[in-house]
Amino acid sequence: MARRRQAVTIKHVAADAGVSLQTVSRVINNEPSVSSDMQRRVQASIDKLGYVPSIAAQRMSGSRSYLILAINDRDRTIADWRARLGTDWVDQMLLGGMLKCAEHGYRMIFELVDTHSDHVERELSAAIAALQPDGIILTPPHSDNPQIVQFLSGQNIPFVRIGSIQNGAGISISMDDEGSARTATRHLLELGHRRIGFIAGASEYELSGWRVDGWRQAMDAAGAVCDGLLEYGNFSYASGEAAARRLLMAPERPSAIIASNDQMALATLEVARELGLNVPVGLSIISFDNTPIVRFTQPALTAVDQPIAATASKAVELIIAAQKGDPAPTSLTTISAPLIERGSVAKPSGRFGG
Amino acid sequence: MARRRQAVTIKHVAADAGVSLQTVSRVINNEPSVSSDMQRRVQASIDKLGYVPSIAAQRMSGSRSYLILAINDRDRTIADWRARLGTDWVDQMLLGGMLKCAEHGYRMIFELVDTHSDHVERELSAAIAALQPDGIILTPPHSDNPQIVQFLSGQNIPFVRIGSIQNGAGISISMDDEGSARTATRHLLELGHRRIGFIAGASEYELSGWRVDGWRQAMDAAGAVCDGLLEYGNFSYASGEAAARRLLMAPERPSAIIASNDQMALATLEVARELGLNVPVGLSIISFDNTPIVRFTQPALTAVDQPIAATASKAVELIIAAQKGDPAPTSLTTISAPLIERGSVAKPSGRFGG
DNA sequence: ATGAAAGCGCTAACAT
DNA sequence: ATGTTAGCGCTTTCAT
């Protein structure tokens, strides 16, 4: 391949408009100190020549790179992609993040990073050195990884921690895990359920704990007992199956179960079927995530939606604001997670009901 | 935000190793003219300092950008993301493309471009000017857009056209639409079906035509008539519904239907249900795409898988090869699309069967 | 096989 | 409000 050069550079524009490079640069960057005459004249040349600045050159001269790095967990993401179970976390991130970036002339670059490895730092600093991003978006479980958070806080790059709570550096955005777990639990309580089981997610994710907290709060507030109703999974189908079996084969089984993600909810549905329990008549189920798959089960699952697109969009906004020098939000940003009602929830029936 | 500078530059490495910048550059780029002593010494400094080259600087000095642009249709992609129907085209592209990029130190950047607009060229040249990618991957319907193909062929950037057949500039990769349609049709013929309906996709996609061709070839070879068995859709659920209704309400209805994508197959399934036709006993269905959703229908659908990950991976390989100056493949690259058998196909029964 | 000098396209800092 | 100068980190010449 022959050496490629920029087709139209700032020099061409400057020559065409008969002004200095700096003036063109000022117009590109919307700086205030340009007379409107000048601004019009230069803009005309830009449009005429179809000039677009090279982000490489912009970054080189110490300015922005217009690149925002979105980092996901490598193993889980690849596993999801290969499993082809319809998990659309990445798509929703792109929907929210990419489009918001585009609005501001930024680009989102997706990266996969291992959480576990001892060289997280090296992976991250390599990506930063290579790309020089203007901001970084962390998703769970990275958002809660102290090693990553500490490393980034020393890098002088704004970063947002999705699904996290302000407990360290960076800007946190929560998807209201505690609140939505409370809402889901209350929803069941209001229908008359008293024995509501809960399947927790992987402990590596802080949000797993908050969901448990929300459930417990709602149960306590209603005077319902929690004993024997909490089981631990790790977000996998298999772990959900085991947890559901423990809950449903106990002497006093729950009349409803909330699972901390869709895969574990699916497993619960299957275990119920095995045990001859009709859903929702014999057992109500609510799941977390609301990935596409839960609309296609029989019955479709009532689920707590994860507003990933809205969250990613907000994350981009916060980074761009921080870039501009605006102060980071002082309070925790929370994007609420709505409960989507479908067919897997009903009033309790039989002896364990209300 | 304070002005960010590269933490470790080529200068630091050069100083540490006690050599010139140029020598370090040669080591980074694996150039042959470096003595192995030198190479080791410099590499040691690189490792010690954790040096990673800035792609902005590399690109600025007329070398590679290590960026590959993957371009998808804006409207359709966003519609898919919003619909949350589990379509994982983008994910599979990332799975194949991103990972292959990473193997070679490249990055994949996703972009959305309008096919229809009259300013496709402007959108594209802006992306090229801003990013200076080393290669571009086009997906349908962009791959067949003559405006785009012609524009890119003048840009001196290698580009791959996915789902396209060599009819112009660029490197084409086909997913064997004709062959897989033939295979699917033969599969039904071998089970004894004679009246096999076909629902074509949007005419904007050349692959729609090839799929029809494959079906027709198999039918002709078996001496089966095609008359009244071909209906046109546009890949939407609604269009599939209308097409299926036309096919199934005709006086001599087909005993099997092949739909050119999953959404139209889903619609066919629903129309069959409405008409009281049991699938697969009363009607066999085969779909194209094999998105996650088709595993969750009742029955699960037999489908022609689209090997998007493998194709994207191959596309990246071809671009990197072209970048290095290797000649483009002389023959059309084809990635075969396997037929995944599930429960929606059975032997024909009743008067229209074999 | 190695080094020195020039320049890529742009912006920060300092003029005026 | 506009122009000039220097330099970002790297690779391309062109030397030696």
Side-chain angles (χ1 to χ4, degrees):
Chain A
M1 268 298 136
R3 225 157 151 303
R4 269 181 297 111
R5 275 231 196 50
Q6 207 77 348
V8 182
T9 73
I10 199 170
K11 276 190 190 166
H12 299 103
V13 177
D16 185 82
V19 299
S20 73
L21 302 181
Q22 192 48 33
T23 301
V24 178
S25 173
R26 286 184 178 115
V27 172
I28 298 167
N29 295 291
N30 270 313
E31 281 172 33
S33 58
V34 186
S35 73
S36 50
D37 265 13
M38 210 30 8
Q39 134 80 30
R40 251 193 307 279
R41 180 143 65 102
V42 173
Q43 190 58 54
S45 295
I46 289 177
D47 294 344
K48 187 174 101 190
L49 302 176
Y51 168 72
V52 175
S54 149
I55 64 165
Q58 293 187 124
R59 175 59 246 183
M60 278 298 298
S61 56
S63 164
R64 281 161 287 185
S65 66
Y66 295 100
L67 259 27
I68 291 178
L69 214 53
I71 297 182
N72 274 34
D73 183 58
R74 176 177 285 125
D75 292 344
R76 275 184 205 273
T77 304
I78 293 179
D80 280 352
W81 285 343
R82 288 204 213 282
R84 303 200 65 176
L85 259 19
T87 309
D88 63 349
W89 170 280
V90 171
D91 301 73
Q92 295 301 305
M93 279 209 72
L94 290 173
L95 174 58
M98 224 173 115
L99 296 190
K100 181 56 76 178
C101 277
E103 277 178 31
H104 296 268
Y106 280 71
R107 248 112 189 163
M108 178 169 246
I109 299 198
F110 227 74
E111 292 264 325
L112 300 178
V113 169
D114 282 326
T115 299
H116 296 299
S117 85
D118 46 327
H119 47 259
V120 204
E121 271 193 29
R122 233 180 310 153
E123 274 199 72
L124 276 174
S125 62
I128 292 172
L131 261 12
Q132 299 275 97
D134 289 339
I136 296 182
I137 298 177
L138 256 29
T139 56
H142 293 324
S143 346
D144 297 321
N145 182 322
Q147 219 183 134
I148 294 180
V149 171
Q150 206 197 321
F151 172 74
L152 287 181
S153 69
Q155 292 300 115
N156 195 25
I157 298 180
F159 65 102
V160 171
R161 300 163 55 193
I162 287 186
S164 187
I165 281 188
Q166 220 117 32
N167 58 346
I171 307 167
S172 292
I173 304 186
S174 145
M175 293 200 268
D176 196 24
D177 294 277
E178 197 174 296
S180 55
R182 226 185 294 124
T183 304
T185 311
R186 259 198 229 126
H187 178 67
L188 293 166
L189 287 163
E190 280 163 13
L191 286 170
H193 292 272
R194 299 292 292 173
R195 296 192 55 76
I196 302 170
F198 196 92
I199 304 179
S203 58
E204 187 185 8
Y205 291 66
E206 288 200 21
L207 56 83
S208 295
W210 304 327
R211 289 178 185 174
V212 172
D213 293 346
W215 163 74
R216 208 188 293 274
Q217 285 163 20
M219 292 291 272
D220 288 353
V225 294
C226 294
D227 297 355
L229 289 171
L230 175 60
E231 288 290 345
Y232 294 88
N234 64 9
F235 290 136
S236 73
Y237 186 95
S239 76
E241 198 178 342
R245 201 157 274 148
R246 286 193 296 272
L247 284 171
L248 293 175
M249 293 177 62
E252 280 199 295
R253 67 162 179 254
S255 65
I257 290 181
I258 302 176
S260 290
N261 79 338
D262 287 340
Q263 283 304 309
M264 299 195 300
L266 251 44
T268 304
L269 186 62
E270 184 53 33
V271 170
R273 186 165 293 142
E274 272 175 34
L275 298 177
L277 275 171
N278 178 293
V279 174
V281 177
L283 178 74
S284 287
I285 299 179
I286 295 184
S287 79
F288 268 81
D289 282 0
N290 193 32
T291 52
I293 197 176
V294 298
R295 312 194 197 181
F296 303 110
T297 53
Q298 295 288 345
L301 301 184
T302 290
V304 176
D305 183 62
Q306 291 300 95
I308 298 152
T311 304
S313 172
K314 186 71 186 175
V316 168
E317 274 178 14
L318 290 171
I319 282 174
I320 293 176
Q323 245 288 126
K324 283 201 209 146
D326 298 3
T330 53
S331 63
L332 175 67
T333 304
T334 300
I335 309 287
S336 69
L339 181 70
I340 311 295
E341 298 189 36
R342 300 203 181 85
S344 63
V345 170
K347 291 190 180 176
S349 63
R351 59 192 172 111
F352 300 123
Chain B
M1 268 298 133
R3 224 157 152 303
R4 268 181 298 111
R5 277 231 194 51
Q6 207 79 347
V8 182
T9 72
I10 200 171
K11 276 190 193 166
H12 299 102
V13 178
D16 186 83
V19 299
S20 73
L21 301 182
Q22 192 43 39
T23 303
V24 179
S25 173
R26 285 183 180 119
V27 171
I28 298 166
N29 294 291
N30 270 314
E31 281 172 33
S33 57
V34 186
S35 73
S36 50
D37 265 13
M38 223 356 144
Q39 134 80 30
R40 253 194 305 279
R41 180 142 66 101
V42 173
Q43 190 58 53
S45 294
I46 290 177
D47 294 344
K48 187 175 102 190
L49 302 176
Y51 168 71
V52 176
S54 149
I55 65 166
Q58 293 187 124
R59 174 61 246 180
M60 277 297 298
S61 52
S63 164
R64 280 160 289 184
S65 65
Y66 295 99
L67 260 26
I68 291 178
L69 214 54
I71 298 182
N72 275 34
D73 183 57
R74 177 178 282 125
D75 292 343
R76 276 184 205 272
T77 304
I78 293 179
D80 280 351
W81 284 344
R82 286 204 214 281
R84 302 198 67 176
L85 260 16
T87 309
D88 63 348
W89 171 280
V90 172
D91 301 73
Q92 295 301 306
M93 278 208 73
L94 290 174
L95 174 57
M98 223 172 118
L99 296 191
K100 181 56 77 181
C101 277
E103 278 178 32
H104 296 269
Y106 279 71
R107 250 111 187 162
M108 176 169 247
I109 298 197
F110 226 75
E111 291 265 325
L112 301 178
V113 169
D114 283 326
T115 299
H116 296 298
S117 85
D118 46 328
H119 48 259
V120 204
E121 271 194 29
R122 233 181 310 154
E123 273 200 72
L124 276 175
S125 62
I128 291 172
L131 260 12
Q132 300 274 99
D134 289 338
I136 297 181
I137 298 176
L138 256 29
T139 56
H142 293 324
S143 346
D144 297 321
N145 182 321
Q147 219 184 132
I148 294 181
V149 171
Q150 207 197 320
F151 172 74
L152 287 182
S153 68
Q155 290 301 111
N156 195 24
I157 298 180
F159 66 102
V160 170
R161 301 162 56 192
I162 286 184
S164 187
I165 281 188
Q166 220 119 29
N167 58 346
I171 307 168
S172 292
I173 304 186
S174 145
M175 292 200 269
D176 196 23
D177 294 277
E178 197 175 295
S180 55
R182 226 184 296 125
T183 304
T185 310
R186 259 197 228 128
H187 179 66
L188 293 167
L189 287 164
E190 279 162 12
L191 286 170
H193 291 274
R194 300 290 294 173
R195 296 192 55 76
I196 302 170
F198 196 92
I199 303 179
S203 58
E204 188 185 7
Y205 291 65
E206 288 200 21
L207 56 83
S208 296
W210 304 326
R211 290 178 185 174
V212 173
D213 293 346
W215 164 74
R216 208 189 294 273
Q217 284 163 20
M219 292 291 271
D220 287 352
V225 294
C226 295
D227 297 355
L229 289 172
L230 175 61
E231 288 290 345
Y232 293 88
N234 64 10
F235 290 135
S236 74
Y237 187 94
S239 75
E241 200 178 341
R245 202 157 274 146
R246 285 194 297 272
L247 283 171
L248 293 174
M249 293 177 63
E252 280 197 296
R253 67 164 177 253
S255 65
I257 290 181
I258 301 176
S260 292
N261 79 339
D262 286 340
Q263 283 304 310
M264 299 197 298
L266 252 44
T268 303
L269 186 61
E270 185 52 35
V271 170
R273 187 166 291 142
E274 271 176 35
L275 298 178
L277 275 171
N278 178 291
V279 174
V281 177
L283 178 74
S284 288
I285 299 180
I286 295 183
S287 80
F288 268 81
D289 281 0
N290 193 33
T291 53
I293 198 177
V294 298
R295 312 193 198 184
F296 303 110
T297 53
Q298 295 288 344
L301 301 184
T302 290
V304 176
D305 183 60
Q306 291 301 93
I308 299 153
T311 304
S313 172
K314 186 70 187 175
V316 168
E317 275 178 14
L318 290 172
I319 283 175
I320 293 177
Q323 244 288 128
K324 284 200 208 147
D326 298 4
T330 52
S331 63
L332 175 68
T333 304
T334 300
I335 310 286
S336 69
L339 181 71
I340 311 293
E341 298 188 37
R342 298 203 183 84
S344 64
V345 170
K347 290 189 181 177
S349 64
R351 56 190 174 114
F352 299 123

